[in-house]
PDB file of all heavy atoms in Angstrom:
ATOM      1  N   GLY A  33      -4.643   4.766   6.319  1.00 59.00           N
ATOM      2  CA  GLY A  33      -4.206   4.118   7.546  1.00 59.00           C
ATOM      3  C   GLY A  33      -4.919   4.699   8.748  1.00 59.00           C
ATOM      4  O   GLY A  33      -5.968   5.311   8.643  1.00 59.00           O
ATOM      5  N   MET A  34      -4.333   4.521   9.924  1.00 62.00           N
ATOM      6  CA  MET A  34      -4.930   5.051  11.137  1.00 62.00           C
ATOM      7  C   MET A  34      -4.792   6.574  11.165  1.00 62.00           C
ATOM      8  O   MET A  34      -5.631   7.280  11.683  1.00 62.00           O
ATOM      9  CB  MET A  34      -4.291   4.414  12.365  1.00 62.00           C
ATOM     10  CG  MET A  34      -4.533   2.906  12.443  1.00 62.00           C
ATOM     11  SD  MET A  34      -3.689   2.107  13.809  1.00 62.00           S
ATOM     12  CE  MET A  34      -4.626   2.723  15.203  1.00 62.00           C
ATOM     13  N   LYS A  35      -3.673   7.087  10.631  1.00 70.00           N
ATOM     14  CA  LYS A  35      -3.506   8.520  10.420  1.00 70.00           C
ATOM     15  C   LYS A  35      -3.016   8.743   8.987  1.00 70.00           C
ATOM     16  O   LYS A  35      -3.637   9.403   8.193  1.00 70.00           O
ATOM     17  CB  LYS A  35      -2.532   9.102  11.443  1.00 70.00           C
ATOM     18  CG  LYS A  35      -3.145   9.232  12.836  1.00 70.00           C
ATOM     19  CD  LYS A  35      -2.256  10.030  13.765  1.00 70.00           C
ATOM     20  CE  LYS A  35      -2.939  10.225  15.130  1.00 70.00           C
ATOM     21  NZ  LYS A  35      -2.074  10.980  16.061  1.00 70.00           N
ATOM     22  N   SER A  36      -1.855   8.154   8.691  1.00 77.00           N
ATOM     23  CA  SER A  36      -1.332   8.153   7.322  1.00 77.00           C
ATOM     24  C   SER A  36      -0.360   6.992   7.210  1.00 77.00           C
ATOM     25  O   SER A  36       0.170   6.521   8.225  1.00 77.00           O
ATOM     26  CB  SER A  36      -0.623   9.478   7.021  1.00 77.00           C
ATOM     27  OG  SER A  36       0.496   9.644   7.851  1.00 77.00           O
ATOM     28  N   PRO A  37      -0.116   6.499   5.990  1.00 85.00           N
ATOM     29  CA  PRO A  37       0.793   5.357   5.840  1.00 85.00           C
ATOM     30  C   PRO A  37       2.220   5.710   6.269  1.00 85.00           C
ATOM     31  O   PRO A  37       2.636   6.863   6.220  1.00 85.00           O
ATOM     32  CB  PRO A  37       0.736   5.064   4.336  1.00 85.00           C
ATOM     33  CG  PRO A  37      -0.515   5.699   3.856  1.00 85.00           C
ATOM     34  CD  PRO A  37      -0.710   6.907   4.721  1.00 85.00           C
ATOM     35  N   THR A  38       2.939   4.687   6.714  1.00 88.00           N
ATOM     36  CA  THR A  38       4.370   4.835   6.973  1.00 88.00           C
ATOM     37  C   THR A  38       5.118   4.613   5.661  1.00 88.00           C
ATOM     38  O   THR A  38       4.874   3.606   4.975  1.00 88.00           O
ATOM     39  CB  THR A  38       4.838   3.811   8.019  1.00 88.00           C
ATOM     40  OG1 THR A  38       4.119   4.035   9.237  1.00 88.00           O
ATOM     41  CG2 THR A  38       6.328   3.931   8.279  1.00 88.00           C
ATOM     42  N   VAL A  39       6.006   5.530   5.298  1.00 91.00           N
ATOM     43  CA  VAL A  39       6.747   5.436   4.043  1.00 91.00           C
ATOM     44  C   VAL A  39       8.240   5.337   4.358  1.00 91.00           C
ATOM     45  O   VAL A  39       8.797   6.190   5.045  1.00 91.00           O
ATOM     46  CB  VAL A  39       6.483   6.658   3.141  1.00 91.00           C
ATOM     47  CG1 VAL A  39       7.270   6.518   1.829  1.00 91.00           C
ATOM     48  CG2 VAL A  39       4.985   6.811   2.871  1.00 91.00           C
ATOM     49  N   THR A  40       8.878   4.265   3.865  1.00 93.00           N
ATOM     50  CA  THR A  40      10.298   4.030   4.119  1.00 93.00           C
ATOM     51  C   THR A  40      11.025   3.818   2.780  1.00 93.00           C
ATOM     52  O   THR A  40      10.613   2.949   1.998  1.00 93.00           O
ATOM     53  CB  THR A  40      10.503   2.783   4.990  1.00 93.00           C
ATOM     54  OG1 THR A  40       9.748   2.933   6.191  1.00 93.00           O
ATOM     55  CG2 THR A  40      11.968   2.585   5.330  1.00 93.00           C
ATOM     56  N   PRO A  41      12.074   4.595   2.501  1.00 93.00           N
ATOM     57  CA  PRO A  41      12.803   4.421   1.223  1.00 93.00           C
ATOM     58  C   PRO A  41      13.432   3.034   1.116  1.00 93.00           C
ATOM     59  O   PRO A  41      13.934   2.496   2.108  1.00 93.00           O
ATOM     60  CB  PRO A  41      13.883   5.513   1.292  1.00 93.00           C
ATOM     61  CG  PRO A  41      13.385   6.494   2.301  1.00 93.00           C
ATOM     62  CD  PRO A  41      12.618   5.693   3.304  1.00 93.00           C
ATOM     63  N   LEU A  42      13.405   2.455  -0.070  1.00 93.00           N
ATOM     64  CA  LEU A  42      14.081   1.190  -0.335  1.00 93.00           C
ATOM     65  C   LEU A  42      15.487   1.457  -0.849  1.00 93.00           C
ATOM     66  O   LEU A  42      15.822   2.569  -1.267  1.00 93.00           O
ATOM     67  CB  LEU A  42      13.283   0.384  -1.361  1.00 93.00           C
ATOM     68  CG  LEU A  42      11.882  -0.096  -0.949  1.00 93.00           C
ATOM     69  CD1 LEU A  42      11.232  -0.837  -2.104  1.00 93.00           C
ATOM     70  CD2 LEU A  42      11.943  -0.990   0.282  1.00 93.00           C
ATOM     71  N   GLN A  43      16.287   0.404  -0.827  1.00 91.00           N
ATOM     72  CA  GLN A  43      17.658   0.556  -1.337  1.00 91.00           C
ATOM     73  C   GLN A  43      17.636   0.878  -2.825  1.00 91.00           C
ATOM     74  O   GLN A  43      18.475   1.631  -3.325  1.00 91.00           O
ATOM     75  CB  GLN A  43      18.448  -0.722  -1.075  1.00 91.00           C
ATOM     76  CG  GLN A  43      19.917  -0.612  -1.457  1.00 91.00           C
ATOM     77  CD  GLN A  43      20.710  -1.830  -1.038  1.00 91.00           C
ATOM     78  OE1 GLN A  43      20.148  -2.810  -0.562  1.00 91.00           O
ATOM     79  NE2 GLN A  43      22.025  -1.780  -1.213  1.00 91.00           N
ATOM     80  N   GLU A  44      16.667   0.305  -3.537  1.00 91.00           N
ATOM     81  CA  GLU A  44      16.548   0.599  -4.963  1.00 91.00           C
ATOM     82  C   GLU A  44      16.040   2.020  -5.157  1.00 91.00           C
ATOM     83  O   GLU A  44      14.981   2.396  -4.649  1.00 91.00           O
ATOM     84  CB  GLU A  44      15.584  -0.396  -5.627  1.00 91.00           C
ATOM     85  CG  GLU A  44      15.480  -0.197  -7.129  1.00 91.00           C
ATOM     86  CD  GLU A  44      14.585  -1.232  -7.800  1.00 91.00           C
ATOM     87  OE1 GLU A  44      14.278  -2.264  -7.155  1.00 91.00           O
ATOM     88  OE2 GLU A  44      14.198  -1.009  -8.955  1.00 91.00           O
ATOM     89  N   GLU A  45      16.768   2.819  -5.855  1.00 92.00           N
ATOM     90  CA  GLU A  45      16.424   4.229  -6.030  1.00 92.00           C
ATOM     91  C   GLU A  45      15.074   4.381  -6.727  1.00 92.00           C
ATOM     92  O   GLU A  45      14.764   3.659  -7.680  1.00 92.00           O
ATOM     93  CB  GLU A  45      17.521   4.925  -6.849  1.00 92.00           C
ATOM     94  CG  GLU A  45      17.350   6.428  -6.920  1.00 92.00           C
ATOM     95  CD  GLU A  45      18.507   7.104  -7.621  1.00 92.00           C
ATOM     96  OE1 GLU A  45      19.555   6.434  -7.832  1.00 92.00           O
ATOM     97  OE2 GLU A  45      18.383   8.288  -7.962  1.00 92.00           O
ATOM     98  N   GLY A  46      14.294   5.323  -6.221  1.00 94.00           N
ATOM     99  CA  GLY A  46      13.002   5.616  -6.837  1.00 94.00           C
ATOM    100  C   GLY A  46      11.853   4.785  -6.295  1.00 94.00           C
ATOM    101  O   GLY A  46      10.725   4.925  -6.757  1.00 94.00           O
ATOM    102  N   TRP A  47      12.155   3.938  -5.311  1.00 95.00           N
ATOM    103  CA  TRP A  47      11.121   3.076  -4.734  1.00 95.00           C
ATOM    104  C   TRP A  47      11.067   3.226  -3.213  1.00 95.00           C
ATOM    105  O   TRP A  47      12.076   3.519  -2.566  1.00 95.00           O
ATOM    106  CB  TRP A  47      11.387   1.606  -5.077  1.00 95.00           C
ATOM    107  CG  TRP A  47      11.023   1.264  -6.493  1.00 95.00           C
ATOM    108  CD1 TRP A  47      11.741   1.555  -7.620  1.00 95.00           C
ATOM    109  CD2 TRP A  47       9.841   0.602  -6.917  1.00 95.00           C
ATOM    110  NE1 TRP A  47      11.091   1.113  -8.742  1.00 95.00           N
ATOM    111  CE2 TRP A  47       9.902   0.506  -8.334  1.00 95.00           C
ATOM    112  CE3 TRP A  47       8.738   0.058  -6.273  1.00 95.00           C
ATOM    113  CZ2 TRP A  47       8.917  -0.090  -9.107  1.00 95.00           C
ATOM    114  CZ3 TRP A  47       7.748  -0.545  -7.035  1.00 95.00           C
ATOM    115  CH2 TRP A  47       7.830  -0.614  -8.422  1.00 95.00           C
ATOM    116  N   SER A  48       9.865   2.993  -2.664  1.00 95.00           N
ATOM    117  CA  SER A  48       9.670   3.048  -1.207  1.00 95.00           C
ATOM    118  C   SER A  48       8.751   1.922  -0.768  1.00 95.00           C
ATOM    119  O   SER A  48       7.997   1.356  -1.577  1.00 95.00           O
ATOM    120  CB  SER A  48       9.068   4.392  -0.790  1.00 95.00           C
ATOM    121  OG  SER A  48       9.967   5.447  -1.021  1.00 95.00           O
ATOM    122  N   SER A  49       8.823   1.622   0.512  1.00 94.00           N
ATOM    123  CA  SER A  49       7.921   0.654   1.132  1.00 94.00           C
ATOM    124  C   SER A  49       6.871   1.421   1.937  1.00 94.00           C
ATOM    125  O   SER A  49       7.204   2.339   2.692  1.00 94.00           O
ATOM    126  CB  SER A  49       8.701  -0.288   2.052  1.00 94.00           C
ATOM    127  OG  SER A  49       7.817  -1.133   2.764  1.00 94.00           O
ATOM    128  N   LEU A  50       5.605   1.044   1.770  1.00 92.00           N
ATOM    129  CA  LEU A  50       4.513   1.680   2.504  1.00 92.00           C
ATOM    130  C   LEU A  50       3.871   0.660   3.437  1.00 92.00           C
ATOM    131  O   LEU A  50       3.632  -0.488   3.042  1.00 92.00           O
ATOM    132  CB  LEU A  50       3.441   2.235   1.554  1.00 92.00           C
ATOM    133  CG  LEU A  50       3.730   3.598   0.914  1.00 92.00           C
ATOM    134  CD1 LEU A  50       4.784   3.457  -0.181  1.00 92.00           C
ATOM    135  CD2 LEU A  50       2.447   4.194   0.330  1.00 92.00           C
ATOM    136  N   HIS A  51       3.608   1.080   4.663  1.00 92.00           N
ATOM    137  CA  HIS A  51       2.936   0.238   5.655  1.00 92.00           C
ATOM    138  C   HIS A  51       1.646   0.941   6.068  1.00 92.00           C
ATOM    139  O   HIS A  51       1.646   2.142   6.357  1.00 92.00           O
ATOM    140  CB  HIS A  51       3.802   0.041   6.896  1.00 92.00           C
ATOM    141  CG  HIS A  51       5.114  -0.611   6.623  1.00 92.00           C
ATOM    142  ND1 HIS A  51       5.867  -1.198   7.622  1.00 92.00           N
ATOM    143  CD2 HIS A  51       5.814  -0.799   5.477  1.00 92.00           C
ATOM    144  CE1 HIS A  51       6.977  -1.696   7.092  1.00 92.00           C
ATOM    145  NE2 HIS A  51       6.971  -1.455   5.797  1.00 92.00           N
ATOM    146  N   SER A  52       0.549   0.190   6.131  1.00 89.00           N
ATOM    147  CA  SER A  52      -0.712   0.814   6.505  1.00 89.00           C
ATOM    148  C   SER A  52      -1.684  -0.230   7.037  1.00 89.00           C
ATOM    149  O   SER A  52      -1.369  -1.424   7.093  1.00 89.00           O
ATOM    150  CB  SER A  52      -1.334   1.533   5.305  1.00 89.00           C
ATOM    151  OG  SER A  52      -2.440   2.317   5.695  1.00 89.00           O
ATOM    152  N   VAL A  53      -2.864   0.232   7.441  1.00 88.00           N
ATOM    153  CA  VAL A  53      -3.929  -0.631   7.950  1.00 88.00           C
ATOM    154  C   VAL A  53      -5.150  -0.471   7.053  1.00 88.00           C
ATOM    155  O   VAL A  53      -5.535   0.653   6.709  1.00 88.00           O
ATOM    156  CB  VAL A  53      -4.291  -0.260   9.408  1.00 88.00           C
ATOM    157  CG1 VAL A  53      -5.503  -1.055   9.878  1.00 88.00           C
ATOM    158  CG2 VAL A  53      -3.104  -0.515  10.325  1.00 88.00           C
ATOM    159  N   VAL A  54      -5.746  -1.597   6.669  1.00 86.00           N
ATOM    160  CA  VAL A  54      -6.910  -1.577   5.783  1.00 86.00           C
ATOM    161  C   VAL A  54      -8.073  -2.299   6.452  1.00 86.00           C
ATOM    162  O   VAL A  54      -7.890  -3.383   7.021  1.00 86.00           O
ATOM    163  CB  VAL A  54      -6.592  -2.269   4.432  1.00 86.00           C
ATOM    164  CG1 VAL A  54      -7.807  -2.258   3.526  1.00 86.00           C
ATOM    165  CG2 VAL A  54      -5.436  -1.580   3.753  1.00 86.00           C
ATOM    166  N   ASN A  55      -9.253  -1.706   6.386  1.00 85.00           N
ATOM    167  CA  ASN A  55     -10.443  -2.354   6.921  1.00 85.00           C
ATOM    168  C   ASN A  55     -10.787  -3.590   6.101  1.00 85.00           C
ATOM    169  O   ASN A  55     -10.682  -3.587   4.872  1.00 85.00           O
ATOM    170  CB  ASN A  55     -11.625  -1.381   6.918  1.00 85.00           C
ATOM    171  CG  ASN A  55     -12.836  -1.937   7.616  1.00 85.00           C
ATOM    172  OD1 ASN A  55     -13.631  -2.681   7.047  1.00 85.00           O
ATOM    173  ND2 ASN A  55     -12.994  -1.591   8.887  1.00 85.00           N
ATOM    174  N   GLU A  56     -11.195  -4.653   6.793  1.00 80.00           N
ATOM    175  CA  GLU A  56     -11.526  -5.926   6.143  1.00 80.00           C
ATOM    176  C   GLU A  56     -12.571  -5.748   5.045  1.00 80.00           C
ATOM    177  O   GLU A  56     -12.499  -6.373   3.992  1.00 80.00           O
ATOM    178  CB  GLU A  56     -12.039  -6.905   7.207  1.00 80.00           C
ATOM    179  CG  GLU A  56     -12.433  -8.265   6.660  1.00 80.00           C
ATOM    180  CD  GLU A  56     -11.234  -9.136   6.334  1.00 80.00           C
ATOM    181  OE1 GLU A  56     -10.184  -8.967   6.983  1.00 80.00           O
ATOM    182  OE2 GLU A  56     -11.346  -9.976   5.435  1.00 80.00           O
ATOM    183  N   ASN A  57     -13.548  -4.875   5.270  1.00 81.00           N
ATOM    184  CA  ASN A  57     -14.629  -4.686   4.304  1.00 81.00           C
ATOM    185  C   ASN A  57     -14.148  -4.035   3.004  1.00 81.00           C
ATOM    186  O   ASN A  57     -14.768  -4.192   1.957  1.00 81.00           O
ATOM    187  CB  ASN A  57     -15.743  -3.834   4.924  1.00 81.00           C
ATOM    188  CG  ASN A  57     -16.415  -4.520   6.099  1.00 81.00           C
ATOM    189  OD1 ASN A  57     -16.516  -5.739   6.126  1.00 81.00           O
ATOM    190  ND2 ASN A  57     -16.845  -3.747   7.075  1.00 81.00           N
ATOM    191  N   ASP A  58     -13.035  -3.263   3.085  1.00 82.00           N
ATOM    192  CA  ASP A  58     -12.534  -2.555   1.903  1.00 82.00           C
ATOM    193  C   ASP A  58     -11.337  -3.255   1.272  1.00 82.00           C
ATOM    194  O   ASP A  58     -10.786  -2.766   0.281  1.00 82.00           O
ATOM    195  CB  ASP A  58     -12.108  -1.126   2.293  1.00 82.00           C
ATOM    196  CG  ASP A  58     -13.246  -0.330   2.900  1.00 82.00           C
ATOM    197  OD1 ASP A  58     -14.394  -0.563   2.493  1.00 82.00           O
ATOM    198  OD2 ASP A  58     -12.984   0.515   3.779  1.00 82.00           O
ATOM    199  N   PHE A  59     -10.967  -4.388   1.834  1.00 79.00           N
ATOM    200  CA  PHE A  59      -9.692  -5.017   1.507  1.00 79.00           C
ATOM    201  C   PHE A  59      -9.493  -5.260   0.011  1.00 79.00           C
ATOM    202  O   PHE A  59      -8.540  -4.757  -0.595  1.00 79.00           O
ATOM    203  CB  PHE A  59      -9.562  -6.318   2.296  1.00 79.00           C
ATOM    204  CG  PHE A  59      -8.352  -7.125   1.957  1.00 79.00           C
ATOM    205  CD1 PHE A  59      -7.097  -6.687   2.324  1.00 79.00           C
ATOM    206  CD2 PHE A  59      -8.460  -8.314   1.260  1.00 79.00           C
ATOM    207  CE1 PHE A  59      -5.971  -7.425   2.013  1.00 79.00           C
ATOM    208  CE2 PHE A  59      -7.349  -9.053   0.951  1.00 79.00           C
ATOM    209  CZ  PHE A  59      -6.092  -8.608   1.328  1.00 79.00           C
ATOM    210  N   TRP A  60     -10.383  -6.031  -0.613  1.00 85.00           N
ATOM    211  CA  TRP A  60     -10.147  -6.418  -2.003  1.00 85.00           C
ATOM    212  C   TRP A  60     -10.264  -5.236  -2.957  1.00 85.00           C
ATOM    213  O   TRP A  60      -9.527  -5.145  -3.953  1.00 85.00           O
ATOM    214  CB  TRP A  60     -11.101  -7.540  -2.412  1.00 85.00           C
ATOM    215  CG  TRP A  60     -10.740  -8.833  -1.764  1.00 85.00           C
ATOM    216  CD1 TRP A  60     -11.414  -9.494  -0.793  1.00 85.00           C
ATOM    217  CD2 TRP A  60      -9.557  -9.607  -2.006  1.00 85.00           C
ATOM    218  NE1 TRP A  60     -10.749 -10.629  -0.400  1.00 85.00           N
ATOM    219  CE2 TRP A  60      -9.600 -10.727  -1.134  1.00 85.00           C
ATOM    220  CE3 TRP A  60      -8.464  -9.469  -2.855  1.00 85.00           C
ATOM    221  CZ2 TRP A  60      -8.598 -11.694  -1.110  1.00 85.00           C
ATOM    222  CZ3 TRP A  60      -7.468 -10.428  -2.833  1.00 85.00           C
ATOM    223  CH2 TRP A  60      -7.542 -11.521  -1.968  1.00 85.00           C
ATOM    224  N   GLN A  61     -11.139  -4.308  -2.659  1.00 84.00           N
ATOM    225  CA  GLN A  61     -11.239  -3.108  -3.497  1.00 84.00           C
ATOM    226  C   GLN A  61      -9.936  -2.305  -3.439  1.00 84.00           C
ATOM    227  O   GLN A  61      -9.448  -1.816  -4.462  1.00 84.00           O
ATOM    228  CB  GLN A  61     -12.402  -2.239  -3.025  1.00 84.00           C
ATOM    229  CG  GLN A  61     -12.554  -0.955  -3.819  1.00 84.00           C
ATOM    230  CD  GLN A  61     -13.626  -0.043  -3.247  1.00 84.00           C
ATOM    231  OE1 GLN A  61     -14.403  -0.446  -2.391  1.00 84.00           O
ATOM    232  NE2 GLN A  61     -13.660   1.188  -3.717  1.00 84.00           N
ATOM    233  N   LYS A  62      -9.375  -2.194  -2.228  1.00 84.00           N
ATOM    234  CA  LYS A  62      -8.118  -1.460  -2.068  1.00 84.00           C
ATOM    235  C   LYS A  62      -6.985  -2.147  -2.834  1.00 84.00           C
ATOM    236  O   LYS A  62      -6.146  -1.482  -3.455  1.00 84.00           O
ATOM    237  CB  LYS A  62      -7.751  -1.370  -0.586  1.00 84.00           C
ATOM    238  CG  LYS A  62      -8.736  -0.601   0.274  1.00 84.00           C
ATOM    239  CD  LYS A  62      -8.727   0.872  -0.022  1.00 84.00           C
ATOM    240  CE  LYS A  62      -9.605   1.629   0.976  1.00 84.00           C
ATOM    241  NZ  LYS A  62      -9.730   3.058   0.629  1.00 84.00           N
ATOM    242  N   ILE A  63      -6.954  -3.482  -2.768  1.00 86.00           N
ATOM    243  CA  ILE A  63      -5.896  -4.222  -3.456  1.00 86.00           C
ATOM    244  C   ILE A  63      -5.922  -3.927  -4.955  1.00 86.00           C
ATOM    245  O   ILE A  63      -4.888  -3.676  -5.583  1.00 86.00           O
ATOM    246  CB  ILE A  63      -6.043  -5.741  -3.209  1.00 86.00           C
ATOM    247  CG1 ILE A  63      -5.782  -6.075  -1.732  1.00 86.00           C
ATOM    248  CG2 ILE A  63      -5.084  -6.531  -4.101  1.00 86.00           C
ATOM    249  CD1 ILE A  63      -4.377  -5.774  -1.265  1.00 86.00           C
ATOM    250  N   ASP A  64      -7.099  -3.953  -5.558  1.00 87.00           N
ATOM    251  CA  ASP A  64      -7.220  -3.675  -6.996  1.00 87.00           C
ATOM    252  C   ASP A  64      -6.741  -2.259  -7.323  1.00 87.00           C
ATOM    253  O   ASP A  64      -6.055  -2.032  -8.327  1.00 87.00           O
ATOM    254  CB  ASP A  64      -8.670  -3.854  -7.442  1.00 87.00           C
ATOM    255  CG  ASP A  64      -9.103  -5.313  -7.423  1.00 87.00           C
ATOM    256  OD1 ASP A  64      -8.221  -6.186  -7.472  1.00 87.00           O
ATOM    257  OD2 ASP A  64     -10.325  -5.578  -7.348  1.00 87.00           O
ATOM    258  N   GLU A  65      -7.111  -1.293  -6.480  1.00 89.00           N
ATOM    259  CA  GLU A  65      -6.691   0.093  -6.704  1.00 89.00           C
ATOM    260  C   GLU A  65      -5.174   0.227  -6.587  1.00 89.00           C
ATOM    261  O   GLU A  65      -4.539   0.920  -7.398  1.00 89.00           O
ATOM    262  CB  GLU A  65      -7.369   1.025  -5.705  1.00 89.00           C
ATOM    263  CG  GLU A  65      -8.869   1.189  -5.901  1.00 89.00           C
ATOM    264  CD  GLU A  65      -9.464   2.177  -4.917  1.00 89.00           C
ATOM    265  OE1 GLU A  65      -9.037   3.345  -4.922  1.00 89.00           O
ATOM    266  OE2 GLU A  65     -10.357   1.783  -4.133  1.00 89.00           O
ATOM    267  N   LEU A  66      -4.589  -0.434  -5.588  1.00 91.00           N
ATOM    268  CA  LEU A  66      -3.146  -0.340  -5.374  1.00 91.00           C
ATOM    269  C   LEU A  66      -2.369  -0.930  -6.551  1.00 91.00           C
ATOM    270  O   LEU A  66      -1.371  -0.358  -7.005  1.00 91.00           O
ATOM    271  CB  LEU A  66      -2.767  -1.055  -4.077  1.00 91.00           C
ATOM    272  CG  LEU A  66      -3.283  -0.413  -2.782  1.00 91.00           C
ATOM    273  CD1 LEU A  66      -3.057  -1.338  -1.596  1.00 91.00           C
ATOM    274  CD2 LEU A  66      -2.605   0.919  -2.551  1.00 91.00           C
ATOM    275  N   LYS A  67      -2.826  -2.071  -7.055  1.00 92.00           N
ATOM    276  CA  LYS A  67      -2.144  -2.701  -8.190  1.00 92.00           C
ATOM    277  C   LYS A  67      -2.203  -1.797  -9.418  1.00 92.00           C
ATOM    278  O   LYS A  67      -1.228  -1.683 -10.164  1.00 92.00           O
ATOM    279  CB  LYS A  67      -2.786  -4.061  -8.481  1.00 92.00           C
ATOM    280  CG  LYS A  67      -2.483  -5.116  -7.422  1.00 92.00           C
ATOM    281  CD  LYS A  67      -3.167  -6.439  -7.731  1.00 92.00           C
ATOM    282  CE  LYS A  67      -2.654  -7.053  -9.008  1.00 92.00           C
ATOM    283  NZ  LYS A  67      -3.289  -8.357  -9.297  1.00 92.00           N
ATOM    284  N   SER A  68      -3.336  -1.146  -9.617  1.00 93.00           N
ATOM    285  CA  SER A  68      -3.475  -0.266 -10.779  1.00 93.00           C
ATOM    286  C   SER A  68      -2.566   0.965 -10.680  1.00 93.00           C
ATOM    287  O   SER A  68      -2.232   1.574 -11.691  1.00 93.00           O
ATOM    288  CB  SER A  68      -4.938   0.179 -10.935  1.00 93.00           C
ATOM    289  OG  SER A  68      -5.319   1.055  -9.881  1.00 93.00           O
ATOM    290  N   LEU A  69      -2.160   1.303  -9.438  1.00 93.00           N
ATOM    291  CA  LEU A  69      -1.276   2.458  -9.230  1.00 93.00           C
ATOM    292  C   LEU A  69       0.197   2.064  -9.227  1.00 93.00           C
ATOM    293  O   LEU A  69       1.067   2.913  -9.013  1.00 93.00           O
ATOM    294  CB  LEU A  69      -1.629   3.152  -7.906  1.00 93.00           C
ATOM    295  CG  LEU A  69      -2.981   3.873  -7.864  1.00 93.00           C
ATOM    296  CD1 LEU A  69      -3.308   4.317  -6.438  1.00 93.00           C
ATOM    297  CD2 LEU A  69      -2.975   5.086  -8.803  1.00 93.00           C
ATOM    298  N   GLY A  70       0.475   0.789  -9.442  1.00 93.00           N
ATOM    299  CA  GLY A  70       1.860   0.342  -9.556  1.00 93.00           C
ATOM    300  C   GLY A  70       2.436  -0.321  -8.327  1.00 93.00           C
ATOM    301  O   GLY A  70       3.642  -0.598  -8.273  1.00 93.00           O
ATOM    302  N   ALA A  71       1.610  -0.588  -7.326  1.00 92.00           N
ATOM    303  CA  ALA A  71       2.107  -1.254  -6.118  1.00 92.00           C
ATOM    304  C   ALA A  71       2.542  -2.682  -6.445  1.00 92.00           C
ATOM    305  O   ALA A  71       1.899  -3.376  -7.234  1.00 92.00           O
ATOM    306  CB  ALA A  71       1.029  -1.263  -5.044  1.00 92.00           C
ATOM    307  N   GLN A  72       3.628  -3.120  -5.793  1.00 93.00           N
ATOM    308  CA  GLN A  72       4.140  -4.473  -5.998  1.00 93.00           C
ATOM    309  C   GLN A  72       4.464  -5.098  -4.638  1.00 93.00           C
ATOM    310  O   GLN A  72       4.575  -4.418  -3.634  1.00 93.00           O
ATOM    311  CB  GLN A  72       5.408  -4.433  -6.858  1.00 93.00           C
ATOM    312  CG  GLN A  72       5.207  -3.897  -8.263  1.00 93.00           C
ATOM    313  CD  GLN A  72       6.508  -3.873  -9.044  1.00 93.00           C
ATOM    314  OE1 GLN A  72       7.534  -4.413  -8.604  1.00 93.00           O
ATOM    315  NE2 GLN A  72       6.477  -3.260 -10.225  1.00 93.00           N
TER     316      GLN A  72
END
């Protein structure tokens, strides 16, 4: 992100919401990496 992602706990235990900023040029590569790490 601009410094680091914002992380907010979800109501479902063991899960969190992450907010961040991604450069347009890196967008699709980042999406593939995030999905492989379990992002939904």
Side-chain angles (χ1 to χ4, degrees):
M34 297 176 71
K35 285 190 176 179
S36 63
T38 300
V39 180
T40 304
L42 295 178
Q43 185 173 6
E44 183 177 345
E45 188 175 347
W47 284 77
S48 294
S49 174
L50 279 74
H51 300 198
S52 189
V53 174
V54 179
N55 187 277
E56 179 76 29
N57 296 328
D58 301 327
F59 175 70
W60 288 110
Q61 178 186 348
K62 297 290 187 186
I63 293 296
D64 290 338
E65 291 183 60
L66 293 170
K67 289 179 64 179
S68 69
L69 291 171
Q72 297 179 9

